[in-house]
Amino acid sequence: MAPRLVLEGIYTPLITPFHDDGSFDFDALADVVERLIAAGVHGLISGGSTGENYAETVEERLELARFIAEQAAGRVPVIVGTGAMRTPDSIALAQGAREMGADAILLGTPPYSVPTERENALNALAIDRAADLPIILHNYPGRMGVEMGTEFLDRVGRSKNVIGIKESSGDINRVHLLARDYPHIGLSCGMDDQALEFFARGARSWICAGSNFLPEEHIALYEACAVRGDFDQGRRIMSAMLPLMRVLEQGGKFIQCVKHGVEITGLRAGPMRPPLKGLNKDEKRALEQVIRVLKTTVTAITEGN
């Protein structure tokens, strides 16, 4: 039996590179996976919103997940996202994750339906039964419409499979609540501009889309704070990263920025699937400048200059 996943480190929710006709560019995806593993990320996530899961069928999402798992070949854990509007689709993704030997699933609230906490918990437990794998919950009320509140956590948190929660609410009081009242559920940063606060509260992992194109810099913050406890250096790295986070979070073009960031590294990311469109020239130039300054500044900090 494979060892149970321990949620520690930097986990990258992978982009999905596309050809111009909208088909998957598997060669480009393989290059992204190899680049991230070589950089030292601690795990890969398939089928998150960063991978444009909302624009893909269940069959396509499973095809991508199988490819990523085969490419990773056991070198790092692979987590499969099960988020979907329909419970049967989430169950199909969970069963597929189990069949392909995934290390865990990422489990969010069904969007748009606005379930009660009890309904949301019953949905999560049905997906849990289908996968019987370690689970990282994903609390993202800004996208899903409801919060994974205490009633939900009290029900779902009793499952032996629930090992962590990606907290993306942006509410720092939630970080305090989870750290204090649910210490058995590993706290994972899901709100990039609060990474420092998450680590100060004991989080041991960060699920961050920006690591698609800046893995070393994200790892540097994790290692400074969570590994060495050097929050002085951590604050300096975080300050250097905040301009990037403002660009990612405040422009309404999060995934477009991440995919262009990958292109800047010399790898292919390809176009967006509809309904989204790529960045314009001015947006690309602004992102490129922010990335240049960030890389130079973080290098100087980590090398002690």
Side-chain angles (χ1 to χ4, degrees):
M1 180 181 293
R4 186 174 175 83
L5 176 69
V6 177
L7 191 61
E8 293 191 352
I10 296 297
Y11 287 76
T12 305
L14 288 161
I15 63 160
T16 301
F18 294 112
H19 293 294
D20 288 340
D21 64 1
S23 63
F24 295 143
D25 187 343
F26 285 112
D27 289 340
L29 181 56
D31 289 341
V32 173
V33 169
E34 291 302 319
R35 158 78 174 108
L36 293 172
I37 292 175
V41 302
H42 301 83
L44 303 172
I45 299 174
S46 172
S49 58
T50 303
E52 300 175 70
N53 62 7
Y54 49 82
E56 298 157 2
T57 66
V58 170
E59 292 74 19
E60 285 180 318
R61 289 173 63 179
L62 288 172
E63 183 182 13
L64 282 169
R66 282 190 291 268
F67 179 86
I68 291 164
E70 289 169 5
Q71 186 70 35
R75 289 174 291 171
V76 295
V78 172
I79 300 167
V80 174
T82 62
M85 291 180 70
R86 299 176 64 248
T87 299
D89 290 343
S90 290
I91 287 175
L93 290 161
Q95 291 172 333
R98 181 186 63 198
E99 290 164 4
M100 74 181 67
D103 295 276
I105 61 172
L106 184 67
L107 193 162
T109 298
Y112 195 75
S113 57
V114 195
T116 65
E117 290 206 49
R118 178 179 178 276
E119 291 168 336
N120 199 17
L122 293 175
N123 177 76
L125 292 171
I127 298 165
D128 179 12
R129 286 192 297 273
D132 194 24
L133 289 171
I135 291 170
I136 297 97
L137 302 170
H138 187 195
N139 184 53
Y140 196 177
R143 287 287 181 94
M144 307 310 172
V146 298
E147 185 169 78
M148 291 178 169
T150 55
E151 181 183 348
F152 172 92
L153 293 169
D154 289 344
R155 284 176 177 264
V156 175
R158 289 197 292 267
S159 170
K160 63 179 175 54
N161 288 326
V162 174
I163 65 166
I165 181 167
K166 178 187 179 185
E167 178 59 35
S168 302
S169 66
D171 181 0
I172 199 66
N173 290 312
R174 281 275 305 184
V175 179
H176 302 321
L177 168 75
L178 292 165
R180 184 189 65 228
D181 295 345
Y182 299 92
H184 61 293
I185 302 176
L187 181 59
S188 185
C189 177
M191 185 56 64
D192 292 345
D193 61 4
Q194 294 177 348
L196 192 74
E197 289 79 7
F198 271 80
F199 289 136
R201 253 313 196 168
R204 301 291 305 168
S205 65
W206 184 9
I207 298 173
C208 42
S211 61
N212 274 280
F213 60 95
L214 290 172
E216 292 90 353
E217 289 74 15
H218 286 75
I219 291 168
L221 182 62
Y222 162 76
E223 290 184 342
C225 297
V227 177
R228 299 194 307 274
D230 185 352
F231 280 89
D232 180 56
Q233 185 180 86
R235 283 188 290 271
R236 295 168 65 202
I237 295 172
M238 190 74 203
S239 293
M241 297 182 81
L242 283 173
L244 172 68
M245 294 168 185
R246 283 194 288 270
V247 171
L248 292 179
E249 296 289 352
Q250 296 181 12
K253 296 189 175 182
F254 183 88
I255 303 171
Q256 294 94 319
C257 286
V258 174
K259 293 190 87 167
H260 185 60
V262 170
E263 296 269 354
I264 292 169
T265 70
L267 301 179
R268 298 191 308 279
M272 308 292 296
R273 269 192 177 177
L276 300 186
K277 303 295 182 184
L279 302 180
N280 63 39
K281 290 181 180 179
D282 290 339
E283 291 165 338
K284 288 179 179 179
R285 281 196 294 268
L287 177 62
E288 290 161 10
Q289 174 63 18
V290 166
I291 290 173
R292 278 195 297 271
V293 173
L294 186 158
K295 289 180 70 68
T296 299
T297 305
V298 173
T299 296
I301 293 168
T302 55
E303 292 181 355
N305 297 327

